[in-house]
Amino acid sequence: MFGLAGPNGAGKSTLISLLLGYLEPTDGTVRVASLRPRAFVERHGMGYLSELMAVPPRWKLEEALRRYAILAGVPRDQVRTRIEAVVTLMGLDEQRGKRVKQLSKGNLQRLGLAQALLREERVIILDEPTHGLDPVWTQRFRDVVDALRRPGRAIFIASHNLDELQRLADRVAIIDHGRLQRIVEPRGLQGISSAPYLFTAVGDDAVIRSVFPQATAAGVGEYALPPLDLAALNAGVAQLLQRGVLVSSLRPLHSVLEQHFREAVGQ
């Protein structure tokens, strides 16, 4: 599971076009399983969800999936089975008779995910896959993608949702101005040595300020702390507890991946 992150204009869409074989590199090489991308796609196919779905509005949902299954090369005797499988997987049973123009943004996005999964592809590329999904289906998407993990398969996710990438990806590439800035392994970065924090506490404000003089008010009972190493942070929290302050929450102001993103793109 490989994630791609970067600000607008960083080159994410260009890189995806190279991986799909839509573009040829002007310099360097791009290979998928030792093949040029276009050759790989022609021989094996790829699952792909584009950032902006463009499905003929008069098609009905089930009709669209049938057409995409044929285009994807799903064997004729398996088309019905595969359509039923992805409709069930993406919770689209009640939508199957609707025309595309009647679908909400979220249901259209789920249709896009369904068509990308019609075949058991070795490579799946998803561009902003949670765009338009409600919180319930964002969570469900994580379960769907986790279930796709298997040896011999690569899943490539480009997203502005850093929290999503941190939850899903084994590695995340951060790019800016067309260049790779760093590769992050989110699962190996659960403790960051120095980061800003936000904590919520109930107690004497003067005590809190005496322990953390650098704290700034961030809301009722909320305080923001500048970057602190973990030893200093824990020592301060221990003092608060000893002096009768109740700390109800403590969290990094940014996720680990967001912290790396900000550093990588200079923000």
Side-chain angles (χ1 to χ4, degrees), residues 44-49 53 55 59 61-90 92 110-126 144 148 150 153:
H44 303 289
M46 277 191 192
Y48 173 49
L49 170 66
M53 286 291 296
V55 183
W59 287 3
L61 184 144
E62 189 168 1
E63 173 191 5
L65 288 173
R66 185 172 65 253
R67 291 172 182 263
Y68 286 131
I70 293 169
L71 286 170
V74 176
R76 183 183 295 271
D77 61 347
Q78 297 178 24
V79 168
R80 170 53 51 192
T81 301
R82 290 305 304 159
I83 289 175
E84 291 300 322
V86 297
V87 164
T88 300
L89 182 67
M90 300 311 303
L92 291 168
R110 284 151 62 187
L111 169 60
L113 285 163
Q115 67 79 27
L117 303 178
L118 278 165
R119 283 198 351 161
E120 291 286 343
E121 305 286 9
R122 293 168 57 192
V123 178
I124 299 172
I125 296 178
L126 306 175
V144 168
L148 294 173
R150 64 198 59 181
R153 169 176 284 164

Side-chain angles (χ1 to χ4, degrees), residues 99-142:
R99 298 191 186 279
V100 169
K101 65 181 178 182
Q102 297 174 298
L103 298 178
S104 67
K105 170 60 182 172
N107 285 331
L108 182 62
Q109 190 74 357
R110 284 151 62 187
L111 169 60
L113 285 163
Q115 67 79 27
L117 303 178
L118 278 165
R119 283 198 351 161
E120 291 286 343
E121 305 286 9
R122 293 168 57 192
V123 178
I124 299 172
I125 296 178
L126 306 175
D127 193 359
E128 298 293 345
T130 59
H131 181 63
L133 297 183
D134 62 31
V136 171
W137 267 98
T138 297
Q139 174 63 53
R140 179 75 180 273
F141 168 76
R142 296 172 194 152

Side-chain angles (χ1 to χ4, degrees), residues 14 54 181:
T14 301
Q181 302 300 317

Side-chain angles (χ1 to χ4, degrees), residues 17 152 168:
S17 293
L168 287 171

Side-chain angles (χ1 to χ4, degrees), residues 5 160-163 165-166 172 174 182 184 186 189 192 196 251-267:
H160 285 108
N161 189 333
L162 299 178
D163 181 59
L165 291 180
Q166 176 153 325
V172 178
I174 300 173
R182 65 179 67 180
V184 179
L189 291 167
I192 217 170
R251 64 179 177 83
L253 195 57
H254 313 298
S255 70
V256 172
L257 183 57
E258 184 179 356
Q259 185 73 15
H260 277 272
F261 184 89
R262 287 169 174 267
E263 293 170 4
V265 302
Q267 296 182 4

